[in-house]
Amino acid sequence: MAKLKISDLAKIRDRVHEQINLREDGAQVKITVHMGTCGIASGARDVLNAAMDELDKSGRTDIIITTSGCAGLCSQEPMITVERLNEEPIKYVFVDNAKMRQIFNRHAVEGEVQTQWALAKGSEQ
């Protein structure tokens, strides 16, 4: 049996943490709108409203929309993170109302990552 490295344990912890977070609520998808001061000043509130509107239209009960503080990339705001169960999170930047609606329907619902607006894949350490 191969010895585990600290980095292996961190990856396992992150993967399990993400799966538990989504499973506990019975959700398949979590969308986080980053609502730090920089995000709000850049239009994150409109992005959040667009996400909530699309959720209402979809009738889906397995998608969670939540907010967080600043993600640390103020010049890239508004930002969102989409996490689908058993997949790595995708961070999107410069999101506006129209992009949010497309990301919701194409990535959150259908699973197709919108690479043209994606900044990063995976979780921060």
Side-chain angles (χ1 to χ4, degrees), residues 18 21 35 42 54-55 58 64 67 69 72 84 97-98 115:
E18 290 168 12
N21 281 344
M35 300 277 291
S42 299
E54 289 302 313
L55 180 61
S58 74
I64 299 169
T67 62
R84 292 175 50 91
N97 192 321
T115 56

Side-chain angles (χ1 to χ4, degrees), residues 98-107 114 116-117:
K99 291 176 183 174
M100 180 66 246
R101 292 178 189 283
Q102 182 171 328
I103 292 167
F104 183 93
N105 289 302
R106 304 279 295 274
H107 184 186
Q114 301 300 290
Q116 66 271 35
W117 304 313

Side-chain angles (χ1 to χ4, degrees), residues 76-92:
Q76 308 285 313
E77 296 284 357
M79 294 176 53
I80 66 167
T81 302
V82 176
E83 299 172 69
R84 292 175 50 91
L85 190 62
N86 300 323
E87 296 178 14
E88 291 193 81
I90 303 293
K91 207 171 282 310
Y92 290 100

Side-chain angles (χ1 to χ4, degrees), residues 17-123:
H17 180 73
E18 290 168 12
Q19 291 172 350
I20 289 171
N21 281 344
L22 289 177
R23 261 190 271 142
E24 283 178 352
D25 296 325
Q28 298 294 311
V29 180
K30 181 169 83 174
I31 300 171
T32 303
V33 180
H34 300 278
M35 300 277 291
T37 305
C38 52
I40 293 170
S42 299
R45 193 169 308 280
D46 289 339
V47 171
L48 177 62
N49 289 337
M52 297 299 290
D53 185 48
E54 289 302 313
L55 180 61
D56 285 344
K57 286 181 190 174
S58 74
R60 300 278 301 255
T61 58
D62 61 345
I63 297 175
I64 299 169
I65 297 175
T66 186
T67 62
S68 74
C70 178
L73 296 169
C74 302
S75 64
Q76 308 285 313
E77 296 284 357
M79 294 176 53
I80 66 167
T81 302
V82 176
E83 299 172 69
R84 292 175 50 91
L85 190 62
N86 300 323
E87 296 178 14
E88 291 193 81
I90 303 293
K91 207 171 282 310
Y92 290 100
V93 296
F94 302 118
V95 179
D96 61 17
N97 192 321
K99 291 176 183 174
M100 180 66 246
R101 292 178 189 283
Q102 182 171 328
I103 292 167
F104 183 93
N105 289 302
R106 304 279 295 274
H107 184 186
V109 173
E110 298 175 7
E112 179 186 341
V113 175
Q114 301 300 290
T115 56
Q116 66 271 35
W117 304 313
L119 172 70
K121 180 178 183 181
S123 299

